[in-house]
Amino acid sequence: MRRRPVAGVLPDQMEKANTKNPNSRLCFLASLSVFFWFLLLYFHFAVLRHQPTNPNPVVPITLQPQQPRKNLGFPEKISQPEKPTFPFDRALRTADNKSDPCGGRYIYVHDLPSRFNEDMLKHCRSLSLWTNMCKFTTNAGLGPPLENVNGVFSDTGWYATNQFTVDVIFSNRMKQYQCLTRDPSVAAAFFVPFYAGFDIARYLWGYNISMRDAASLDLVNWLMNRPEWKIMNGRDHFLVAGRITWDFRRLTEEESDWGNKLLFLPAAKNMSMLVVESSPWNANDFGIPYPTYFHPAKDDDVFTWQERMRRLERKWLFSFAGAPRPDNPKSIRGQIIEQCRRSKVGKLLECDFGESKCHSPSSIMQMFQGSLFCLQPQGDSYTRRSAFDSMLAGCIPVFFHPGSAYTQYTWHLPKNYTKYSVFIPEDDLRKRNVSIEERLSQIPEEEVRIMREEVIGLIPRLVYADPRSKLETLEDAFDVSVQAVIDKVTNLRKDIMEGRTDENFIEENSWKYALLDEGQREVGPHEWDPFFSKPKPGGDSDDLSAEAAKNSWKNEQRNQS
């Protein structure tokens, strides 16, 4: 059914209305939109541009780190994390005080009970089974004066010094040290005047291990209860023992084992122990020179002696003072003695038991003064006092094992051993029968002169000055040792402050670390590895057994009697 149109409206009119009205509306809406955008733009450019920015606009909330408020009108302070403090801060800062001649060099000396030192001297007859040590502890540990009968010595400064008296010599020299302090907060290092060598010497024969260990255990207990110990748990402490390290490294609790266990005690492992022979495989001991017969009281004593050694005529190409070791199949002393006997330019001073010129300081020094080269093989242990006696005489030492000097006395001798010595490996004699005379005669004369001058120049730092006086400008063996300890402790403290650690440190390679140049920290393969390749558990070695230490002690003690 069709729809009917609305009443009163014609069909053609209705069609016109349907076509006109939509266009009018569109025009109206477009105009309104343009007007709205005009107002919006006008409001933005003409009004808002001249209004201050709302300091607190409403923004969506987001989680951001809180920023510090700005202090308007003043420089903004930037917060820094607080640096950690250390109990040795003040000690390190003393080195920055250029007006203080002792800055960075102060030594604190522990006031030990007398049972650890002076009481031992009161009972000096008990310090050795074969030797009366009372005469050797006189004159501040230098022993009785030597008479210059044959003109071999100087008129003053020469003493019959026992090779095992460094304990008391060093302690008496420390009393004259110019930078002592009673304030532990400024101390660069802490000295423990314990006569460790004298202590063990009196108990080496015929005493059980409890007696041998008693004083060492008592000492560490005393130290660990001191506030000074807690600064670095003993790592800034040092003591001196005038014996070889093997006397303090008993490996077991067996009564038949040699020595005491001082250097294996946990507290002692933190300390530094200065000994006349150190272990290549342990990090808590350091080699210092054996005492010689010469103890100058002033610089001129040294200068006069050096000049005299330069002018001497040396008629022997090489010489050797010592005894054979027939019970030691590894010893090369037999070959050396035989070569000395056969050579027309070699001099031999045989040192067997009983009456011998080897027991006469003047005979030994006279031979060394007349020789260009002095042979220094191993004895029962790596080192010999004779090496220092020969260098004191201006004689160039010839070593056959790097453990006899090169890895021992790195504080006192040049690391470049070719500057002052000759090295002939033991196997060159033992297996290849190399001629010592031929090897030494091949060294050019000018090179020999340079080496001898180097040896003579080393004399001040190899001797211990008279503890009752003080050298003016020269540094002796004591001065060199103390400064080396201070440097060691200072570097350790700086490492702690800067967070550096030696995570790759291998204690069995201790001898290698001692040979590193300044700033080096890593070690690798070394040409001397075969010489130190057989350490036992605990740090000893096959060729340095308790029996070897025992024989060394016995032989050297008898030579002094």
Side-chain angles (χ1 to χ4, degrees), residues 212-230:
R212 285 181 259 158
D213 293 338
S216 297
L217 293 171
D218 192 10
L219 174 75
V220 298
N221 287 334
W222 188 91
L223 287 172
M224 292 174 69
N225 286 318
R226 298 290 302 173
E228 297 84 12
W229 179 270
K230 296 176 175 60

Side-chain angles (χ1 to χ4, degrees), residues 360-424:
S360 165
S362 61
S363 297
I364 294 174
M365 293 301 296
Q366 188 172 34
M367 184 184 72
F368 288 161
Q369 289 175 24
S371 306
L372 288 174
F373 298 94
C374 293
L375 309 183
Q376 302 296 344
Q378 294 187 81
D380 295 292
S381 65
Y382 285 138
T383 63
R384 306 178 73 206
R385 170 193 175 144
S386 175
F388 295 97
D389 289 334
S390 66
M391 285 188 279
L392 175 60
C395 187
I396 301 168
V398 180
F399 295 110
F400 301 86
H401 193 292
S404 295
Y406 307 148
T407 62
Q408 291 285 343
Y409 311 107
T410 55
W411 292 348
H412 298 78
L413 296 174
K415 292 183 180 179
N416 181 2
Y417 63 89
T418 62
K419 295 175 65 175
Y420 71 93
S421 71
V422 175
F423 181 55
I424 302 176

